[in-house]
Amino acid sequence: TRDFASNAIFLAIFSVLDLMKMDMANFAVSSIRPHLMQQSVEYERKKFQELYEKQPNSLDFVAKWLQEAMVDLQSKVVCASNNDAAFASKVLALSPVAVQNHAYIQLLKWNHLQKPFPETVLMDQSRFQEMQLELDQLILIGAILLVTFNASGSALSDLPAFTNKLKMAIQVFSFNLDETLAVISEKICAEVNSCLSQHGFTPFTSEKVIVLKGQIQALANPDNAICTLIDSRIQLFLENYLACGHQKSLPPVLGGLGPIQRELEEIAIKYIRLVDYNKLVFSPYYDEILSKILNKEFP
């Protein structure tokens, strides 16, 4: 019995020592992470500078990307000003940070088949493409949930388990969006009626089912107003997150994005990390180009 107790004590001691080793290793890694990051940034910048010296046109697409971002941002903010001349005059003095952040947002709407990707983000093109696809899917999921909860009312929208169940039903996509939404609309209506019955509410009538199916299937239209609304609010959320600077506290989600908040925040964190690292590496080039653009030194 004494030997057994001694062995148990030794096992407990070794277990604690193993945990201490892991804690020390984690502490060591976290301590040197900033140094490793700085070395990585300097190495990538050095390699790009070597390329730039050999090929002075290596920033042509970057300049075009940033210039297009400035023009687009100006037009959007001026439109939002509702023809307020005083407000519009302030827009003309756009900050380099605002233009740069807007440019990064545009990377999530890039036409990869028709437009060359900017040179400074070329190495991360596949990551931006992946996030672009994730956001496109999230826009559709958010639009479907918004349509569904508008039809069913707060009785179901306040049930987190039901929201998750709908997400599971939605996340089955094929290449044919019309066919996919037709299948999803059937599943959604069945889930809604089942949940309404379980919670003592009156299920949808056949007429209401037809209307909801039609609204869901209409989301296949790229100009659908609900998809456009969800898309614009997601972009604004990401742009607000970029504008947080080094605080990096997630901004509040806008109305309609609540059901997809967790998924959106997961994508946002990946996106911000990628953008922040890119800024660290290429900020000297961006600063110079933006200075010329904002001072109208580019044609």
Side-chain angles (χ1 to χ4, degrees), residues 155-176:
L156 301 186
S157 61
D158 294 333
L159 301 173
F162 178 65
T163 301
N164 291 331
K165 197 170 185 179
L166 287 186
K167 288 180 186 177
M168 294 298 294
I170 293 169
Q171 291 176 345
V172 180
F173 290 91
S174 69
F175 291 105
N176 189 317

Side-chain angles (χ1 to χ4, degrees), residues 213-230:
K213 285 181 180 178
Q215 289 176 333
I216 292 173
Q217 292 173 31
L219 298 174
N221 185 341
D223 298 322
N224 182 274
I226 296 174
C227 287
T228 302
L229 175 67
I230 296 293

